[in-house]
Every structure is written in C-alpha cells, then in structure tokens.
Amino acid sequence: MNILVTGGAGYIGSHTCLELLSAGHAVTVLDNYSNSKPESLNRVERLTGKTIRRIEGDIRDGAVLRRALTESGAEAVIHFAGLKAVGESVQLPLQYYDNNVVGTLRLLEAMQACGVKTLVFSSSATVYGDPQRLPLTEDHPLSATNPYGRTKLVIEDMLRDAFAGDASWRFGILRYFNPVGAHASGQIGEDPQGVPNNLLPFVAQVAVGRREFLNVWGNDYDTPDGTGVRDYIHVVDLALGHLRTLEALSKAPAGQGQCMAINLGTGVGYSVLDMVKAFEAASGKPIAYQIQARRPGDIAACYADPTTAKEVLGWQATRDLQTMCADAWNWQRNNPLGYGG
Ligand code: NAD
Ligand code: UFG
C-alpha cells in the first residue's frame, strides 16, 4: 500500500515507518520536525535499504496536506503528528488545541477532498482519566485531566462524529499505553529534547551519566511498592500494531467503513522501582534515585486489557520487560546525545 505517515520522523513514527517499509509498503512522511530530526528517517532508510518520500510541512496547512496525499498516491494515513507533553499542555493549551485538534481537522478535510478514507490515529490511555477499574477495557468511561488529554478526547469524538455522518470512513483509534524501548539495531530510538518527562528516557540518561539521579514521583500510592504502576509496551510491538490495524481496516467490504478504538498495551503493570531494577540489570549500571512528592495529575496505576487487539487485529505484544530495557539501553549507549550526537 501507499501510506502517508504524519509525524513519521518522531519516536513511534520512525519505528512504524521501518516496519511498514520492511513489509513492502511505500511510505511518505509529512513532518515539520518540531520535535524530531530528519536523521531518524536517514537511519530508517539505511536499515531497510528503501527510500522514504519526505515532505517537510505542517499538518495545519491544507495545501501541503493535499499535495502530500496526491503525490504519495496515499491509500491510507497513519497520523502521529502532534504535541505530547502533558506539563507543557497546561502552560500552552491553545498551541495544543491548534496543533492536535485543528491539525487533525485539516487532515480529515484534505483526506475527504482527496478521497482517502482510511486513517489510523495515535490516541492514548490518557483518555481513560483516573481509572475506575483495572485492567482498562475500551468501554471504560472516557475523561481527561489536562489539555493534552482533552485534545485526544476531542479528536476521538471528532472521528466518531465523522463516521456517524459518513459510514465509509475507516478509522482505527489506537490507545497506546506507555511506549518504551528502541529498535534492536540501536540505530533509532527516543530522542527527547531537554529534560525527559517520561520515566524510561530519564532512567537511561542517568545510566549513561547525563543525569545524576532519578526523581521518583511518590512512593505512597496504593500499589505493591507505593510507586506508580504503568503498562510499558515495546515500541516495535506498538509499531507492528499499526500494520495489523491497516490490515484489519482494509478487510472491510468496499463502501463499508468502520470506526474502532483499540488498546495497545501488554496487560501487565510494572512499578517505577520495577523499571529501575530492570534497567540496572539490562545496563549493568546502578540507577541512583530519590523519592520525591507525587507529580500533580499522576494516577496510581494504569494497565490495559489487551483482549480486543488480540481478537480484532490478531495482535499481541511479544517483547518482555528485559527486552524493552536492553533495547532502550543499546540505543542510549550508542547515541548518548540522541540524533544530535
Ligand atoms: P514525537 O514527538 O516523537 O513525534 C511526533 C512527530 O510529529 C514529530 O516528528 C514532530 O516533529 C511531528 N509534528 C508535531 N506537530 C506537527 C505538525 N503540526 N505538523 C507536522 N508534524 C508535526 O512523539 P511520539 O512519541 O512519536 O508520539 C506520536 C503520537 O503518539 C503523538 O500523537 C502522541 O500524542 C501519541 N502518543 C504518544 C505516547 C508516548 O508516550 N510517546 C503515548 C500515547 C500517545
Ligand atoms: N516517573 C517518575 N520519575 C520521572 C518520570 C516518571 O517517577 O522522572 C513515574 C511517574 O510518576 C509514573 C511513571 O513513572 O508513575 C510513568 O510516568 P511517565 O511520565 O513515563 O508516563 P505517564 O504514564 O505519566 O504518561 C505517559 C505519556 C502520556 C500518555 C500516557 C498514557 O507521557 O502522554 O503515558 O499513554 F498519555
């Protein structure tokens, strides 16, 4: 298939482009490089021996979108482009609504104009808010506690409304849990700008000597060791979930669309201290940490019921915690300064 990937130079996008190319798809990336570097795509090309068509531009620009859809001959779009930092979204809510919500609206308009009706969208487990029950099934009530989360909810609602108005759309809404790790080659991985917000990139930077110690945000939660529990998923498993989603969407009979929301997680929760121990084992480096107060807005525990993905997509995560940490360390050790090094 010809696939347009928005935000394809980013962390999850670059890993997905690699799997798409390896499976024989033709890939066009539209990215404004606001949170990534073209070097990630150079490396994907080297690893696969295939070429990516690249368009530098913004998803809020309808003309660029129509050009990208037309030039690529796109049959489907995988839509990663967006801003993703929870704390920043509280400071800059309008930028988040503009980039994420307006950007997705422009994308849907351009797709409609060009007759491209298949979209895979990066949603997040954040749309479940503070879980009322665990594990999280897709029918759990949706809510949001910060502007970033609300942009994901608004976009999900926009997709459901678009489908209600035109049942020929094919939408795969993927609710990611906590993506971690890197490609086994150690050539592509997560390259956060500035101080990492997320746990594993921060731990990796402590291991490589870029940071002195990890702040553990709270050890008084109602969890086995008091620290926050999350469902960490290897980014390559996550990338493969997008391929399975495209396959499932393309199976719908002609003219008949679908709109499905699916969790992509492992179903297993690990605590912050579990992650520290696993990373120490993978890297052979001690990870110094200090217990701090809870981070505002954090929840105690969050993990998926991944049954729908297995039943509907025939997909399940196969890479374990040891592999997630070993691959994250391999990337960090080979690229201590990320793509800028
Ligand atoms: P990322 O920041 O590495 O990748 C996003 C890419 O989109 C970057 O290359 C960036 O330059 C590009 N981009 C941003 N705004 C753009 C715009 N207006 N026009 C064109 N390009 C633009 O993030 P990621 O971790 O790869 O996440 C991808 C998607 O998955 C995001 O939508 C994010 O909200 C979602 N998600 C991520 C996580 C996570 O923990 N990483 C969890 C749940 C959901
Ligand atoms: N944590 C620390 N120290 C740190 C960073 C994190 O103790 O320096 C803890 C957090 O308190 C939490 C756990 O590690 O208990 C995971 O935190 P992350 O920031 O890595 O991830 P979150 O679960 O808070 O959020 C992530 C993404 C969101 C997304 C959500 C669900 O940042 O955008 O997963 O997919 F919505």
Side-chain angles (χ1 to χ4, degrees), residues 43 56 74 86 90 106 113 132-133 151 154 158 187 202 208 214 236 253 296 315-316:
R43 296 194 185 184
E56 182 169 353
V86 172
V90 177
R106 292 284 104 83
Q132 296 170 15
R133 53 175 190 270
T151 67
V154 171
M158 187 160 69
Q187 289 297 302
F202 201 109
V208 85
L214 168 74
V236 173
W315 171 94
Q316 60 184 337

Side-chain angles (χ1 to χ4, degrees), residues 6-13 30-37 57-60 79-84 99-100 121-125 148 152 176-179 190 198:
T6 74
Y11 173 45
I12 305 169
L30 172 63
D31 203 303
N32 65 2
Y33 304 113
S34 58
N35 196 39
S36 58
K37 298 195 177 73
D58 198 292
I59 53 163
R60 289 163 292 181
H79 177 33
F80 295 107
L83 302 178
K84 63 165 183 175
N99 219 304
N100 295 2
F121 170 63
S122 304
S123 188
S124 165
Y148 166 73
K152 293 293 180 191
Y176 311 156
F177 281 68
N178 289 55
E190 189 168 10
N198 294 117

Side-chain angles (χ1 to χ4, degrees), residues 124 126 148 176-178 197-199 215 217 230 295 298:
S124 165
T126 194
Y148 166 73
Y176 311 156
F177 281 68
N178 289 55
N197 294 308
N198 294 117
L199 178 66
N215 292 304
W217 304 126
R230 297 289 184 276
R295 185 170 65 175
D298 267 358

Side-chain angles (χ1 to χ4, degrees), residues 6 56 59 76 85 101 144 170 201-202 258 277 311 314 317 321-322 328:
T6 74
E56 182 169 353
I59 53 163
V101 177
R170 295 171 185 210
F202 201 109
Q258 54 182 317
K277 273 189 220 115
E311 287 176 0
L321 183 59
Q322 199 191 342

